[in-house]
Amino acid sequence: MAKLTQDELLAQFEEMTLIELSEFVKAFEEKFDVTAAAAAPVVVAGGAAGGAAAEAEPEKDEFDVILAGAGDKKIQVIKVVRELTSLGLKEAKDLVDGAPKPVLEKVNKEAADKAKEALEGAGASVEVK
């Protein structure tokens, strides 16, 4: 197999959904026995500058994306929920109908922000906790 360049790898990741990317990261961590912890350098830098305030409240690295309401474009919201999750049509519809419900749980900040942006773009109201 030919070795891929960094740009080629990034192009491949760019085509993946958030769920696929999350599953890839988990598989990568298991295969190479590593942890993708990007928050650690931030906490260290914040601890040096912030002192006791940074120690009292550690950096949150897991977020839940909660669908608060579907809005007027329910079908669009269902499509986005299906893109973000591995749910089928019926399960995604049930999740949207039963709002408020979590769409993604324990995801990183970037994934939560992208999911929130996609859902709000479809007309849903979203909370990130």
Side-chain angles (χ1 to χ4, degrees):
M1 182 168 138
K3 184 176 178 182
L4 298 175
T5 67
Q6 186 174 3
D7 290 336
E8 292 169 332
L9 284 171
L10 288 173
Q12 290 297 314
F13 291 134
E14 191 173 61
E15 296 176 12
M16 298 173 90
T17 66
L18 292 176
I19 297 299
E20 291 170 334
L21 192 55
S22 175
E23 290 170 355
F24 170 78
V25 169
K26 288 176 188 172
F28 186 90
E29 289 174 341
E30 289 174 11
K31 170 89 174 166
F32 297 104
D33 194 28
V34 295
T35 303
V42 174
V43 173
V44 171
E55 291 175 18
E57 191 173 317
E59 184 76 21
K60 187 174 179 180
D61 61 351
E62 289 185 343
F63 298 88
D64 294 339
V65 179
I66 313 291
L67 177 68
D72 295 338
K73 300 177 182 176
K74 189 167 133 182
I75 293 172
Q76 296 293 47
V77 174
I78 292 170
K79 288 180 181 179
V80 172
V81 167
R82 290 193 66 206
E83 289 173 10
L84 295 173
T85 65
S86 58
L87 296 176
L89 180 60
K90 182 184 181 327
E91 292 85 3
K93 181 183 179 303
D94 291 345
L95 186 146
V96 172
D97 287 340
K101 287 203 171 181
V103 176
L104 298 174
E105 295 178 319
K106 298 182 180 179
V107 295
N108 64 26
K109 176 91 170 128
E110 182 180 333
D113 289 343
K114 285 183 179 180
K116 179 180 180 188
E117 183 179 315
L119 286 165
E120 286 179 341
S125 53
V126 182
E127 298 174 19
V128 176
K129 294 184 180 185

